[in-house]
Amino acid sequence: MLGGIYTQQKCALCGQGMRDNGRNGVVCPTHPDQRASKLIVRFGRKVYLRFTNYDEASRALTGLRFKVDEGTFDERDYRKSNPLGFRTLAEQYVEVKCKSELKPDTVNHIRQHLNLAAEIFGLTNVKEIGYAQVEDFLLGIENVSSKTRYNIRSNLHAFFRWLVKRRVLRPDQMPEFPEVSFELGWRKTIDMATQDAILEEVRKLTLENPRIYIGIKWLATYINVRPVELLGINEEDVDLKTGLVIVRKHKTSKAIKKPKFIPVIAEDLELIKSLPRGLPKMPFFRRDKGGGGRLQNASFGRHILYRYWKKACENLGIEGVDLYGGTRHSSATGLRKVLTREGVKELSGHETNKAFERYFQVDLDDLREGYAKTRERKSGALLEVIRG
């Protein structure tokens, strides 16, 4: 039969090697009362387990033979390097994600969530993690929102699905996952008069670099664009003849393989023309002047628009309104007074992928007219102030 119980100890009386008697110990053939106290279960070439109790060693050997018979034996379960440990495999998973097309922020969230799990599971063999262990982990996370708990569950579930694809686990070995429900919080929105006041305050704060004001104004006008997407726009993406701005990197760009288009309204086109033009590959949202440790023509940092929005709100005594809620969501809410629900949905880009495939069939002039309604309460008079 495969495997056996052995020892490296010698008989204290005659120096002979000891052998398993198959009943109750590893003993000297000549002096059976001399028993080994340090036992080794060898199973194949790679399984090497140590014991100090014969009954435990015997049960382990029987278990290994049974796993071979039922087809579930995996020698990786017994390696000293613990290749099937949760932490070991989680680190490999994160490395794979780092090499994928996922955004760095997304990878960081995956890393953080799996690190939380690794603090609990450590080097536990992933085959030993079942529903109970997963549920205890998820319910035991403190001081997080229901949405964060849901996201942690999603990333942990994706990790185990990856283990199945890698043949680390059989499909039947993947643990069941408890349901985790959540309710999205509501962002605080503002009326259009308040939004106008904040935009005007931003304009005053950014006279040295009007691109900051333009960026925030665009977020309040073109409600299908997100703050981080603006930072990927280059000079070559702004067409002054057609009045179109191309957003090549956006939330769904990797899925649909198509850019997003902004048909800018007339007053914004004039604002663009008032700015100094740069080389094609220069970021459109950049610092036209250096100073303060910043280089001329350097791209905006990720949080610059948010900082100026919050500063403007602080100056006006407005609390609890973030950039996203005060621009995109507030403008969408305001548009409901002048457009149908479907009209607002089309402008905001909240469409199904199938609907998005018909994007190029939408009349760009209709979109431009719709975006103009986000600003029609104001004229383009601010252009003269900026130019001045």
Side-chain angles (χ1 to χ4, degrees):
M1 298 180 68
L2 183 62
I5 304 175
Y6 307 92
T7 186
Q8 294 177 336
Q9 291 178 299
K10 304 294 183 180
C11 175
L13 300 178
C14 66
Q16 288 188 84
M18 297 185 180
R19 300 176 184 176
D20 182 8
N21 63 13
R23 299 188 308 277
N24 56 17
V26 176
V27 302
C28 173
T30 306
H31 307 94
D33 59 325
Q34 297 295 307
R35 297 171 177 270
S37 59
K38 297 179 180 180
L39 307 174
I40 300 170
V41 172
R42 291 178 181 170
F43 199 77
R45 296 182 178 181
K46 297 183 178 180
V47 177
Y48 191 87
L49 307 176
R50 293 181 179 275
F51 295 89
T52 57
N53 180 282
Y54 182 83
D55 289 338
E56 292 179 1
S58 181
R59 284 195 296 270
L61 180 59
T62 300
L64 291 170
R65 289 169 175 167
F66 176 76
K67 288 185 176 182
V68 170
D69 291 340
E70 69 174 4
T72 61
F73 174 73
D74 187 342
E75 57 89 16
R76 294 175 300 177
D77 293 333
Y78 308 97
R79 290 185 195 169
K80 291 182 179 180
S81 60
N82 202 4
L84 299 186
F86 181 91
R87 187 185 299 277
T88 302
L89 289 168
E91 291 173 354
Q92 292 179 17
Y93 179 68
V94 172
E95 288 179 8
V96 170
K97 293 303 177 182
C98 286
K99 298 175 183 178
S100 69
E101 294 183 351
L102 291 178
K103 295 179 180 178
D105 279 354
T106 301
V107 176
N108 285 337
H109 281 121
I110 293 173
R111 180 184 291 108
Q112 292 169 8
H113 294 166
L114 291 184
N115 281 345
L116 279 176
E119 290 178 5
I120 302 301
F121 300 134
L123 290 176
T124 301
N125 190 311
V126 290
K127 296 178 182 179
E128 298 175 7
I129 299 174
Y131 176 90
Q133 289 75 28
V134 173
E135 183 177 58
D136 289 346
F137 161 65
L138 291 174
L139 296 179
I141 303 172
E142 299 179 348
N143 302 319
V144 298
S145 66
S146 59
K147 180 60 167 63
T148 299
R149 196 184 308 276
Y150 175 85
N151 291 339
I152 294 172
R153 183 227 186 246
S154 297
N155 283 325
L156 186 60
H157 186 270
F159 166 67
F160 274 97
R161 290 296 305 165
W162 176 77
L163 294 179
V164 172
K165 290 180 179 179
R166 296 266 294 196
R167 303 293 191 270
V168 174
L169 296 178
R170 298 192 311 272
D172 63 292
Q173 291 177 314
M174 178 171 171
E176 294 184 28
F177 273 66
E179 293 297 324
V180 175
S181 60
F182 69 93
E183 182 175 344
L184 286 175
W186 291 91
R187 292 179 185 269
K188 185 175 180 180
T189 58
I190 50 179
D191 58 38
M192 296 297 93
T194 303
Q195 188 188 81
D196 285 340
I198 297 173
L199 288 175
E200 174 62 11
E201 184 64 20
V202 170
R203 187 194 65 78
K204 293 177 181 178
L205 291 171
T206 59
L207 294 177
E208 289 296 316
N209 192 342
R211 294 179 193 269
I212 298 173
Y213 164 71
I214 291 173
I216 295 176
K217 183 174 184 288
W218 282 14
L219 294 176
T221 305
Y222 312 109
I223 56 176
N224 67 328
V225 182
R226 295 170 172 80
V228 71
E229 295 172 352
L230 292 180
L231 304 185
I233 298 173
N234 291 334
E235 283 283 351
E236 64 183 353
D237 299 324
V238 180
D239 191 329
L240 297 180
K241 293 182 180 180
T242 62
L244 287 178
V245 175
I246 303 174
V247 183
R248 302 184 189 279
K249 297 180 180 180
H250 53 86
K251 186 176 182 179
T252 58
S253 58
K254 292 177 182 178
I256 66 174
K257 308 298 183 184
K258 289 183 179 180
K260 182 186 294 185
F261 287 86
I262 306 174
V264 297
I265 60 180
E267 67 180 75
D268 286 344
L269 188 58
E270 290 302 309
L271 284 174
I272 295 172
K273 291 178 179 178
S274 72
L275 299 172
R277 298 291 295 195
L279 297 174
K281 295 298 182 182
M282 277 187 179
F284 180 80
F285 288 99
R286 64 182 186 274
R287 299 177 182 275
D288 289 314
K289 299 179 182 179
R294 306 290 184 177
L295 297 176
Q296 183 178 5
N297 296 325
S299 175
F300 282 176
R302 295 192 57 187
H303 304 294
I304 188 171
L305 301 183
Y306 183 84
R307 289 202 307 271
Y308 275 94
W309 173 267
K310 295 301 289 185
K311 179 62 177 176
C313 288
E314 181 182 336
N315 290 352
L316 297 174
I318 300 171
E319 299 180 352
V321 182
D322 64 13
L323 177 63
Y324 213 55
T327 54
R328 177 184 172 104
H329 289 294
S330 294
S331 292
T333 300
L335 281 172
R336 290 175 186 171
K337 298 178 181 179
V338 293
L339 292 176
T340 65
R341 183 181 183 88
E342 288 303 310
V344 176
K345 182 179 178 181
E346 186 170 54
L347 291 178
S348 68
H350 283 152
E351 307 172 80
T352 63
N353 287 340
K354 182 177 180 181
F356 193 89
E357 292 297 330
R358 296 183 284 106
Y359 183 85
F360 293 106
Q361 299 177 24
V362 177
D363 191 322
L364 293 176
D365 288 335
D366 288 344
L367 288 178
R368 185 177 281 109
E369 181 180 348
Y371 289 133
K373 291 184 180 297
T374 64
R375 305 255 65 82
E376 66 179 11
R377 61 191 179 279
K378 287 267 188 175
S379 68
L382 284 177
L383 175 61
E384 297 302 322
V385 179
I386 292 176
R387 282 178 168 171

